[in-house]
Amino acid sequence: MSALKYWLWLASMRGLGQTRAAALIDALGSPENIFFAAEDEWRAAADLPEQALAELRGRSTDRAERILELCDRSNTRILTMQDAAYPERLRSLYAPPCVLYYKGQLLSFDEEAALGVVGTRNPTAYGQNVTMKLCYQLAASGMLIVSGLAKGIDAASHLGALRAGKPTVAVLGCGVDIIYPAENKELYEDIAAAGLILSEYPPGTRAEGQHFPARNRIISGLSLGVLVVEAPPGSGALITANHALEQGRDIFAVPGNIDNRESEGCHRLIREGAILTARAEDICSEYQALFPHKITLAAPQTPKHLPRLPKVLERALPEEAQPVKVIDLTEKVKAYTPDQQRILLVIAKNAMIADEIISVTGLPAPLVLSELTMLELDGIVVQVPGRRYTLNLD
């Protein structure tokens, strides 16, 4: 049996958990040694519940073999603690994950100026916009954005990094073959193509509430610090901030409206010593000396399309039976990037589904999907029945 199968056997054992698994590895050296050890050695290494002892006694690798089959079927790759590519930042944590599953481009995290970004799933327009702007600038300045692919602040952080043309990392609370939430399907595909999807849960594992606090410790563990944007009291974002503090990571927080409950958590963090963050330089300046070859303090200007954009078409007041007048679109789209201009000019003529836009413009599918998402979030583009995109004329 290969060493990999022993790792999967240990990581998938019911009733064991990462803390006890780490204790067994510390005491016995490897999953293979654990597999062949005597019961008194297991008991001496960790305080094991009966369920875990029963699994250890059984020495069955059936579950590990099924996981290997699922990984092959879903094109999921595996990283164990024995691999040189396993992040030292995670290895040094209390009870690190024994096994990580991933899709996409595996990064050298210990050489990256990684920043975890977390916040509410129900952000205000302010929270969403400031997250996209900051993450665009942070990614363009050389920082790696790590978040959880949830709706809201997580999604906005990934979008900001992708819009800067940089990879981003999504840590899931389910298997990497499960798209959760389903509404982030296109974002998931973009990240898998241009970044990394990561999880400690094997393929096929559904998203469950108890998975997310564990997921949060990986987001903070991979990062130098954690940026919190809009976190109401008791939110998962504040749990992540607590993990980060326990792990010795820096905490950054964006201030918000004092009357908005979504900002209460950030204001509390700032009172308790978190670094108030209003621009990318507030974070980059903390790490530029450590990563001079990666981080620049001269953050690029955020493109004009990230804030709320002016409309590119306007209706004139009707005059008797005269048709609606349309402002010259060619002149109006000059404020946008060339790729955005092509998309806007195409859908100005006819509402189209994404595949049609990709075909007509000749642009890469991930780029078109990313641009459409950004333009839709900004209100310039809307979806009409049939999942067709058109310009917003309201």
Side-chain angles (χ1 to χ4, degrees):
M1 185 167 65
S2 69
L4 178 58
K5 195 172 292 187
Y6 289 116
W7 280 99
L8 297 179
W9 166 77
L10 183 67
S12 63
M13 193 171 296
R14 297 189 179 102
L16 187 62
Q18 299 293 358
T19 304
R20 296 188 182 98
L24 287 170
I25 292 171
D26 287 344
L28 300 173
S30 71
E32 185 172 0
N33 291 345
I34 296 167
F35 185 87
F36 290 107
E39 183 168 335
D40 60 344
E41 293 179 279
W42 299 331
R43 289 181 180 275
D47 181 17
L48 301 172
E50 184 54 39
Q51 183 182 26
L53 284 168
E55 293 250 336
L56 286 164
R57 292 188 202 105
R59 304 181 206 267
S60 171
T61 61
D62 290 349
R63 198 177 302 124
E65 290 168 357
R66 286 197 298 274
I67 292 172
L68 280 173
E69 290 174 7
L70 285 171
C71 287
D72 286 340
R73 247 183 275 154
S74 62
N75 195 28
T76 297
R77 286 174 283 181
I78 304 170
L79 188 68
T80 74
M81 287 182 67
Q82 73 177 356
D83 295 322
Y86 188 96
E88 191 61 35
R89 289 177 190 169
L90 284 187
R91 201 193 309 271
S92 63
L93 299 181
Y94 174 73
C98 295
V99 174
L100 294 170
Y101 303 89
Y102 69 96
K103 286 177 176 284
Q105 170 191 356
L106 187 60
L107 303 166
S108 299
F109 281 99
D110 299 322
E111 300 172 9
E112 295 287 345
L115 180 77
V117 181
V118 295
T120 179
R121 286 175 167 79
N122 300 294
T124 64
Y126 162 81
Q128 187 163 274
N129 287 335
V130 77
T131 302
M132 283 192 286
K133 288 190 288 186
L134 280 173
C135 289
Y136 174 94
Q137 292 185 336
L138 288 163
S141 296
M143 300 204 69
L144 174 67
I145 301 301
V146 182
S147 195
L149 196 63
K151 66 178 183 177
I153 296 301
D154 285 16
S157 70
H158 292 307
L159 282 168
L162 290 171
R163 186 63 194 88
K166 302 294 183 179
T168 180
V169 180
V171 184
L172 308 187
C174 55
V176 295
D177 59 331
I178 304 292
I179 301 175
Y180 181 85
E183 65 199 68
N184 282 347
K185 178 177 184 295
E186 293 178 353
L187 180 57
Y188 170 99
E189 291 170 350
D190 284 351
I191 295 172
L196 177 67
I197 307 285
L198 189 70
S199 177
E200 65 180 310
Y201 301 105
T205 304
R206 296 288 171 182
E208 297 180 9
Q210 68 268 24
H211 293 168
F212 291 96
R215 181 276 308 266
N216 293 344
R217 90 189 193 286
I218 296 179
I219 292 175
S220 56
L222 290 170
S223 306
L224 301 172
V226 170
L227 171 65
V228 185
V229 186
E230 292 196 333
S235 64
L238 295 180
I239 294 174
T240 308
N242 288 334
H243 281 306
L245 287 170
E246 292 168 359
Q247 295 163 354
R249 285 10 179 198
D250 298 316
I251 305 295
F252 303 88
V254 174
N257 188 327
I258 61 172
D259 295 322
N260 188 344
R261 186 173 180 273
E262 303 299 323
S263 295
E264 286 183 20
C266 290
H267 294 161
R268 193 203 80 197
L269 290 172
I270 292 169
R271 286 196 307 272
E272 294 174 354
I275 299 171
L276 188 152
T277 302
R279 54 182 189 159
E281 289 88 342
D282 295 331
I283 297 174
C284 291
S285 61
E286 297 291 322
Y287 305 117
Q288 201 274 335
L290 292 173
F291 295 89
H293 58 296
K294 283 191 176 284
I295 298 177
T296 175
L297 292 182
Q301 290 297 311
T302 308
K304 293 180 180 178
H305 65 275
L306 283 176
R308 185 78 181 182
L309 293 173
K311 294 187 175 92
V312 294
L313 290 180
E314 295 179 359
R315 289 182 187 267
L317 290 173
E319 297 178 6
E320 299 177 356
Q322 291 183 359
V324 169
K325 290 195 250 183
V326 179
I327 289 179
D328 182 2
L329 184 60
T330 304
E331 182 65 25
K332 289 294 180 182
V333 300
K334 285 184 179 179
Y336 303 99
T337 67
D339 291 339
Q340 288 178 319
Q341 290 181 30
R342 290 171 71 176
I343 293 170
L344 292 171
L345 289 168
V346 163
I347 62 176
K349 299 175 183 177
N350 295 293
M352 294 184 178
I353 62 172
D355 286 345
E356 291 172 329
I357 299 170
I358 292 164
S359 176
V360 174
T361 61
L363 295 171
L367 175 63
V368 170
L369 296 173
S370 177
E371 295 288 14
L372 284 171
T373 301
M374 293 296 296
L375 293 171
E376 190 177 8
L377 284 171
D378 290 331
I380 301 307
V381 169
V382 293
Q383 278 196 55
V384 294
R387 300 203 66 180
R388 294 174 298 147
Y389 293 89
T390 189
L391 295 179
N392 183 9
L393 301 179
D394 295 331

